[in-house]
Amino acid sequence: MIDLKFLRDNPDIVRDSQRARGEDPNLVDQLIAADEVRRTSIQAADELRAEQKAFGKKIGQAAPEDRPALLEGSNELKERVKAAEAAREEAEEQVRRLQYSLPNVVEGAPAGGEEDFVVLEHVGEVPEFDFEVKDHLDLGEALGIIDVKRGTKVGGARFYYLVGDGAWMQLGMLMLAAQKAREAGFTVMVPPVLVRPEIMQGTGFLDQHDEEIYYLERDDLYLVGTSEVALAGYHRDEIIDLSDGPILYAGWSSCFRREAGSYGKDTKGILRVHQFDKLEMFVYCEPQQAKEMHQKLLGLEREMLDAIQVPYRIIDIAAGDLGSSAARKFDTEAWVPSQNTYRELTSTSNCTTFQGRRLATRYRDAEGKTQPVATLNGTLATTRWLVAILENNQNADGSVTVPEALRPWVGKEVLVP
């Protein structure tokens, strides 16, 4: 949720942000106008309440013979106060509706849409094979570690089983991420995967991504697409202590996405699926610390990608491809040999105070005043990493070399068909 004072003081910045996202800048003017109506209605209601209070004292001090006439005037004033309160509530609801429809203000992201990202860096060398490259599903089926056919039989399209060494590879990857997170000062958590509507709304996921979310109508609960949602809701309606620095959490959970609108895209294998596991970093900090923490999250993602030995690139996501809550986002994309392109493995977003305002999560500043916290998130490991690991480490005979960092969990140096 955008800060109304910032909006009033910097309308051109917010309009430019809307244009960079490809959104309607007129929404800014609508919100400014609605906010002016709200402020006027609050003042009018306050003045009438003060008048009503003074009138009540006048009645109490009046002579008995004068009170009937005064009481008649009091009833009229009471109705005016009631009408003013109703107008104030209506004006506040209009402001709230418009605030919730306005995305976060972009900070430094390039303008444009999905294809307008900026490549910041390439890391590692793209492998060259002197044999015909297999994709991850062909490799996984031959190795007996991925079973999509039975996953489809049991759960439908885009479901799968990870079997034996495939399960151990994922568990090892997530354990490695959890260890790295703990060493970096994060508290590891296993959060709920079902959340209430107000938590999903508070993180911004119902604004643009509601078609991606599984909703359990009978229970009025949502399945999370990332543990970011539950971690963001952990301190809802709280004043948290940031005197010792940012609060760092790492949530390990299963995640669920409907993949609405993606029919025909990445249907083979486990690149785009309905259920997957993920370790997500989440940060609460003071707003002035957010940019530094964003780089810290990106640095940890780098460490994990280096550990699993895949070539990757870092991109600065364009404003039009940001979620509504993110002010800036960096993705890391690993090279996928069978597709001859890079595909997303991680993302890390700086949400500034957008989620903190929505979820009423605050801290006390140096003067003791409560202020909304800044929040950030970043992926440290997830199921789709197996795609890049298998394809980049494949051998001519169909075997796959296990990255050294994962061998303690997998128990093997090479997976053999």
Side-chain angles (χ1 to χ4, degrees):
M1 182 185 299
I2 191 170
D3 178 9
L4 289 175
K5 184 178 185 305
F6 180 87
L7 177 73
R8 291 192 294 267
D9 294 344
N10 305 277
D12 287 338
I13 292 177
V14 186
R15 291 188 191 100
D16 288 344
S17 173
Q18 286 290 93
R19 293 187 187 98
R21 285 179 175 273
E23 301 280 351
D24 185 5
N26 291 324
L27 188 59
V28 175
D29 299 291
Q30 293 174 30
L31 181 51
I32 290 173
D35 182 47
E36 183 60 34
V37 171
R38 178 188 68 89
R39 295 165 75 193
T40 300
S41 67
I42 290 173
Q43 182 179 355
D46 288 346
E47 290 174 353
L48 280 171
R49 279 196 303 270
E51 183 180 344
Q52 185 182 41
K53 185 177 181 180
F55 201 78
K57 290 182 179 179
K58 184 177 180 181
I59 293 173
Q61 296 169 354
E65 61 272 19
D66 296 329
R67 287 180 181 174
L70 290 173
L71 285 171
E72 185 176 340
S74 174
N75 289 334
E76 180 185 346
L77 184 57
K78 182 179 179 181
E79 289 301 313
R80 289 171 59 200
V81 170
K82 184 178 179 181
E85 288 289 351
R88 177 189 60 78
E89 290 176 5
E90 182 179 348
E92 289 184 339
E93 177 57 31
Q94 175 70 351
V95 168
R96 182 179 180 277
R97 183 184 67 80
L98 289 169
Q99 266 188 297
Y100 268 75
S101 64
L102 192 69
N104 202 354
V105 178
V106 173
E107 290 189 358
E114 184 177 357
E115 303 301 323
D116 297 310
F117 59 83
V118 173
V119 178
L120 301 178
E121 185 179 355
H122 285 89
V123 181
E125 295 185 6
V126 172
E128 295 184 5
F129 299 98
D130 57 3
F131 56 87
E132 185 176 351
V133 170
K134 295 181 179 179
D135 66 32
H136 72 281
L137 183 57
D138 289 339
L139 290 165
E141 288 180 336
L143 294 168
I145 63 174
I146 299 175
D147 193 335
V148 170
K149 292 179 182 177
R150 289 186 176 90
T152 301
K153 177 177 68 174
V154 172
R158 299 185 192 270
F159 284 96
Y160 58 95
Y161 286 85
L162 294 179
V163 182
D165 292 333
W168 280 110
M169 188 173 287
Q170 172 165 288
L171 289 171
M173 181 175 62
L174 291 167
M175 279 300 300
L176 180 64
Q179 287 182 340
K180 282 189 175 292
R182 182 170 63 178
E183 290 167 1
F186 288 75
T187 299
V188 177
M189 305 175 74
V190 178
V193 297
L194 286 165
V195 299
R196 294 177 171 178
E198 57 267 29
I199 303 301
M200 191 68 79
Q201 178 72 54
T203 54
F205 281 93
L206 290 185
D207 298 338
Q208 295 181 341
H209 303 286
D210 55 334
E211 289 298 316
E212 290 293 308
I213 302 169
Y214 285 102
Y215 176 57
L216 282 67
E217 188 173 357
R218 290 178 63 180
D219 303 288
D220 195 25
L221 293 170
Y222 290 91
L223 277 167
V224 300
T226 168
S227 60
E228 171 194 345
V229 179
L231 297 177
Y234 189 62
H235 289 299
R236 181 182 181 231
D237 291 328
E238 294 181 21
I239 299 174
I240 60 177
D241 185 5
L242 296 179
S243 58
D244 292 331
I247 295 176
L248 314 176
Y249 296 128
W252 182 334
S253 74
S254 291
C255 305
F256 305 86
R257 295 183 186 176
R258 294 184 61 243
E259 293 294 345
S262 66
Y263 301 105
K265 296 181 181 178
D266 303 321
T267 55
K268 187 176 182 181
I270 61 171
L271 190 61
R272 194 189 294 265
V273 291
H274 292 309
Q275 177 184 336
F276 54 94
D277 283 3
K278 182 155 68 91
L279 191 89
E280 185 79 1
M281 302 176 287
F282 195 86
V283 176
Y284 293 93
C285 67
E286 297 181 19
Q288 62 271 22
Q289 299 171 316
K291 289 184 179 179
E292 177 187 350
M293 294 307 302
H294 202 188
Q295 290 299 319
K296 178 175 180 176
L297 297 186
L298 182 59
L300 288 168
E301 291 178 345
R302 284 171 170 271
E303 288 184 22
M304 273 297 297
L305 289 171
D306 291 340
I308 64 167
Q309 298 174 298
V310 297
Y312 62 94
R313 69 182 183 183
I314 301 171
I315 64 173
D316 194 353
I317 296 297
D321 199 27
L322 295 174
S324 63
S325 60
R328 196 171 193 184
K329 180 169 76 166
F330 302 118
D331 279 3
T332 65
E333 298 183 327
W335 179 255
V336 178
S338 68
Q339 298 186 13
N340 199 39
T341 191
Y342 288 92
R343 302 303 299 266
E344 178 195 336
L345 289 197
T346 78
S347 65
T348 176
S349 298
N350 179 2
C351 297
T352 61
T353 60
F354 188 83
Q355 293 176 333
R357 291 180 189 281
R358 287 181 168 219
L359 293 166
T361 306
R362 296 144 291 158
Y363 75 101
R364 295 193 186 278
D365 63 19
E367 286 73 43
K369 295 180 180 179
T370 57
Q371 305 285 355
V373 299
T375 61
L376 302 96
N377 62 82
T379 305
L380 203 51
T382 189
T383 298
R384 66 160 50 190
W385 287 28
L386 298 178
V387 173
I389 291 172
L390 292 174
E391 293 200 16
N392 283 284
N393 292 283
Q394 64 181 291
N395 303 307
D397 61 357
S399 65
V400 172
T401 302
V402 179
E404 186 174 352
L406 301 182
R407 292 173 189 172
W409 289 278
V410 179
K412 299 175 182 178
E413 293 185 11
V414 180
L415 305 182
V416 180

